[in-house]
Amino acid sequence: MAEVLLPRKMEIPNDPSKFGSPDLLHVLAVDDSHVDRKFIERLLRVSSCKVTVVDSATRALQYLGLDVEEKSVGFEDLKVNLIMTDYSMPGMTGYELLKKIKESSAFRQVPVVIMSSENILPRIDRCLEEGAEDFLLKPVKLSDVKRLRDSLMKVEDLSFTKSIQKRELETENVYPVHSQLKRAKI
Amino acid sequence: MDLVQMQKSLQDYTKSLFLEGILDSQFLQLQQLQDESNPDFVSQVVTLFFQDSDRILNDLSLSLDQQVVDFKKVDPHVHQLKGSSSSIGAQRVKNACVVFRSFCEQQNVEACHRCLQQVKQEYYLVKNRLETLFKLEQQIVASGGMIPAVELGF
């Protein structure tokens, strides 16, 4: 998913790039429902993610810098690690948002997860075919979010680990303990 | 009533809501997301639910009272209500919405009117019960007590 960055100094916990502390997984959540926005935001915060929530696909495109017709490029400096969007939204649907994101050069690599209260197989297939990372049935569970987060961190851990091993360093000393995960009492 | 009695009352009351099917496990998910750093999370989400639902039910009443009912307007409202009630664990409201949607699909106006009444009934019920629940919690907190965690063994 990402290129391997070889850090020059051992300042990794303070490094704001995606190879930094697990706290800095940045998720953009898109949902037109007030209730669901509040809910997904909390799920993500409890899972140690930085969250940006918007109420429509249009606002999501504005946030990403993809709203201007000629610029299918987007804000190159914006770090978004995951986009979670509701499927059924007035105006532009989550599916249409997914397509726009996959067409952009800045954000096509960002995993997009579709959320829906309806378990419609053709819908799920269509989204996965268009490049969605996953399709979650609402209401989304904390375990869903944790699973997503863990798999994203693993991808980054893996490439980072390889670069660290090259320097014969212990990764345990580099990463802080995932203490934030204990906050959710399951 | 002393603190221990209040806490027991709250636990019994909460359990009854689950046993009656008014709330489902999604409500437990909400409670588990509440902690010292976010002590009002559940009541905040539920308040949003009440605000959304009041608005939607009003819109539905208006839509169904039209001479010619536009089901393209009615169905999205019911879908929205189904979604938000599902997100907070208001099981009976959600189930009533499912039935409602099937009659929307059939474009059966009379049945939809009945469904709306049913949804309203279930909504006012859960609203009333949750407001009582929050009052009980407030009394406990005001007396310096902690809200007991819900036991899942029933």
Side-chain angles (χ1 to χ4, degrees):
Chain A
M1 169 169 111
E3 323 167 47
V4 173
L5 291 176
L6 297 174
R8 292 172 190 275
K9 298 180 193 179
M10 280 302 296
E11 286 175 337
I12 291 86
N14 297 321
D15 182 3
S17 80
K18 56 181 146 181
F19 292 104
S21 150
D23 282 6
L24 299 174
L25 201 69
H26 182 200
V27 184
L28 173 65
V30 191
D31 202 314
D32 63 310
S33 159
H34 236 148
V35 170
D36 289 349
R37 277 202 300 280
K38 181 120 184 118
F39 180 58
I40 195 76
E41 181 186 30
R42 183 71 185 140
L43 279 185
L44 289 166
R45 283 201 207 281
V46 154
S47 307
S48 310
C49 297
K50 179 184 163 197
V51 193
T52 301
V53 194
V54 294
D55 64 2
S56 70
T58 312
R59 281 212 217 278
L61 291 177
Q62 281 168 2
Y63 181 75
L64 297 170
L66 297 175
D67 53 327
V68 184
E69 270 305 322
E70 319 89 60
K71 292 197 327 165
S72 73
V73 176
F75 295 139
E76 301 268 343
D77 291 333
L78 184 63
K79 289 267 184 281
V80 174
N81 302 109
L82 171 66
I83 297 168
M84 296 182 75
T85 178
D86 186 25
Y87 183 93
S88 314
M89 294 187 288
M92 194 185 295
T93 66
Y95 175 70
E96 287 157 353
L97 176 62
L98 165 68
K99 285 205 283 192
K100 285 242 148 73
I101 291 166
K102 292 303 168 187
E103 282 163 16
S104 75
S105 52
F107 299 106
R108 69 162 61 101
Q109 303 278 52
V110 178
V112 181
V113 169
I114 309 284
M115 304 178 283
S116 175
S117 56
E118 295 173 300
N119 196 3
I120 299 173
L121 245 40
R123 173 183 292 186
I124 299 174
D125 284 342
R126 217 165 7 127
C127 290
L128 294 176
E129 269 165 38
E130 205 57 48
E133 177 82 11
D134 206 341
F135 189 99
L136 299 176
L137 228 46
K138 281 177 155 188
V140 175
K141 302 265 175 299
L142 185 61
S143 53
D144 292 327
V145 172
K146 283 183 170 180
R147 182 174 48 79
L148 273 174
R149 184 191 173 284
D150 288 348
S151 72
L152 285 178
M153 292 313 300
K154 245 194 212 126
V155 174
E156 293 174 10
D157 275 1
L158 210 53
S159 29
F160 185 60
T161 303
K162 283 184 177 155
S163 71
I164 287 295
Q165 280 169 348
K166 277 187 186 175
R167 292 161 174 258
E168 294 166 358
L169 290 165
E170 300 269 73
T171 36
E172 292 157 47
N173 297 332
V174 171
Y175 274 80
V177 177
H178 289 229
S179 56
Q180 315 286 40
L181 291 174
K182 285 194 250 163
R183 244 191 280 144
K185 298 163 265 198
I186 295 290
Chain B
M1 226 199 267
D2 74 357
L3 192 56
V4 175
Q5 272 180 299
M6 281 197 274
Q7 286 168 327
K8 177 87 183 23
S9 290
L10 175 63
Q11 275 185 314
D12 289 344
Y13 190 73
T14 310
K15 273 188 196 172
S16 73
L17 297 182
F18 287 107
L19 290 171
E20 286 178 70
I22 294 172
L23 294 178
D24 64 26
S25 60
Q26 179 61 16
F27 190 77
L28 287 177
Q29 281 268 320
L30 289 187
Q31 288 184 316
Q32 283 166 348
L33 291 172
Q34 183 163 288
D35 62 17
E36 309 79 51
S37 69
N38 270 264
D40 300 317
F41 175 68
V42 181
S43 65
Q44 283 171 359
V45 181
V46 170
T47 302
L48 286 175
F49 169 67
F50 291 160
Q51 286 169 356
D52 274 359
S53 303
D54 288 338
R55 183 182 44 85
I56 291 171
L57 287 171
N58 196 44
D59 288 345
L60 277 172
S61 296
L62 289 172
S63 295
L64 284 178
D65 277 341
Q66 300 301 306
Q67 284 275 31
V68 182
V69 176
D70 185 357
F71 285 99
K72 285 212 191 74
K73 280 217 178 89
V74 174
D75 186 74
H77 283 320
V78 185
H79 172 77
Q80 240 189 310
L81 186 56
K82 179 187 143 233
S84 55
S85 57
S86 165
S87 293
I88 69 143
Q91 187 174 249
R92 304 226 296 228
V93 177
K94 178 191 74 177
N95 291 342
C97 287
V98 172
V99 177
F100 197 157
R101 283 194 91 192
S102 66
F103 284 117
C104 280
E105 234 175 293
Q106 295 172 30
Q107 309 221 347
N108 185 334
V109 179
E110 229 186 88
C112 282
H113 268 114
R114 286 199 296 274
C115 285
L116 178 59
Q117 291 321 306
Q118 185 64 21
V119 170
K120 278 184 175 174
Q121 209 172 296
E122 296 298 350
Y123 169 65
Y124 293 131
L125 179 63
V126 71
K127 185 171 187 194
N128 177 277
R129 296 295 167 91
L130 285 174
E131 282 172 344
T132 303
L133 187 110
F134 294 139
K135 271 205 193 91
L136 288 174
E137 286 186 347
Q138 278 160 18
Q139 282 170 358
I140 291 172
V141 171
S143 303
M146 300 247 316
I147 312 293
V150 180
E151 288 154 47
L152 301 176
F154 57 86

